[in-house]
């Protein structure tokens, strides 16, 4: 797609290869744009990030989240991340959209933590909400297990993902 005519279908670009499997100036599993080069990928235009305007309490079933920006481009089945508003970054949670309106969405998924959505003492403490679903997906192929020099004593999964690099002088 282009800026004037974004790609409306679904596309997946899967970057493959194992760490150390071949040698290049940029590594393995990458898309690289060097000096003078350009890369344009235009998918469906959607709001990517916004903030909560009301606190979301823990609990299951369908619930409404209220947000700052127009999210009417989000559709049923899209997945969102509710960023942690605690010191524990592991309190970020994923929910699925059932329906969206201009500044609110009905979502499903168990919410185990509170996500603050207010201004406190003149400080905006509102949690971020990010759209995870895209119609163009670029990802690195992951092996079933950790291998090689990837901190395998700490992780039992592949930690070597894909990369997009824009080098000095790209357009």
């Amino acid at each position: 797609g282009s800026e004037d005519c974004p790609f409306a279908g679904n596309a997946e670009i899967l970057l493959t290869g194992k760490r150390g499997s071949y040698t290049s100036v940029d590594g393995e599993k990458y898309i690289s744009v060097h000096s003078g080069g350009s890369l344009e990928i235009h998918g469906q235009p959607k709001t990517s990030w916004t903030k909560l305007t009301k606190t979301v309490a823990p609990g299951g079933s369908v619930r409404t989240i209220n947000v700052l920006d127009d999210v009417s481009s989000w559709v049923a089945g899209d997945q969102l991340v509710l960023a942690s508003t605690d010191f524990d970054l592991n309190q970020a949670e994923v929910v699925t959209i059932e329906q969206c309106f201009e500044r609110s969405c009905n979502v499903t998924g168990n919410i185990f933590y509170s996500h603050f959505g207010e201004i406190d003492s003149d400080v905006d403490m509102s949690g971020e909400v990010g759209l995870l679903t895209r119609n163009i997906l670029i990802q690195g192929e992951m092996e079933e297990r950790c291998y090689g020099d990837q901190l395998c004593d700490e992780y039992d999964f592949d930690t070597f993902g894909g990369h997009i690099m824009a080098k000095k002088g790209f357009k």
Side-chain angles (χ1 to χ4, degrees):
S2 66
E3 191 172 349
D4 295 334
C5 184
F7 179 69
N10 290 310
E12 179 180 354
I13 299 170
L14 185 62
L15 306 175
T16 63
K18 282 188 170 185
R19 176 173 287 205
S21 61
Y22 55 91
T23 304
S24 76
V25 67
D26 293 323
E28 299 95 355
K29 289 202 296 195
Y30 67 89
I31 295 173
S32 181
V33 183
H34 287 250
S35 180
S38 64
L39 174 67
E40 293 192 33
I41 301 172
H42 298 274
Q44 296 171 343
K46 292 187 172 192
T47 301
S48 57
W49 284 94
T50 187
K51 286 186 163 190
L52 294 170
T53 57
K54 290 185 181 174
T55 297
V56 178
S61 75
V62 178
R63 48 190 50 246
T64 300
I65 60 169
N66 297 283
V67 295
L68 182 64
D69 300 299
D70 182 350
V71 293
S72 56
S73 61
W74 295 354
V75 298
D78 282 353
Q79 289 195 309
L80 306 175
V81 61
L82 304 178
S84 175
T85 55
D86 188 271
F87 293 111
D88 181 358
L89 299 178
N90 292 317
Q91 290 187 12
E93 301 181 276
V94 175
V95 294
T96 302
I97 294 174
E98 283 209 342
Q99 183 178 19
C100 279
F101 305 95
E102 188 173 333
R103 296 199 191 307
S104 68
C105 292
N106 296 335
V107 298
T108 59
N110 289 328
I111 297 175
F112 296 101
Y113 308 101
S114 179
H115 296 272
F116 201 69
E118 299 171 28
I119 295 174
D120 183 25
S121 303
D122 292 328
V123 177
D124 187 352
M125 303 291 287
S126 302
E128 295 90 359
V129 180
L131 178 68
L132 297 174
T133 305
R134 298 286 196 269
N135 69 308
I136 299 175
L137 178 64
I138 302 172
Q139 63 184 6
E141 180 181 49
M142 303 304 285
E143 299 294 322
E144 289 185 26
R145 309 268 322 143
C146 186
Y147 66 91
D149 185 21
Q150 294 191 70
L151 303 173
C152 294
D153 55 337
E154 295 181 39
Y155 303 101
D156 64 353
F157 53 88
D158 184 359
T159 62
F160 183 60
H163 308 276
I164 298 177
M165 294 176 268
K167 300 282 188 147
K168 182 178 180 181
F170 78 96
K171 294 181 186 177

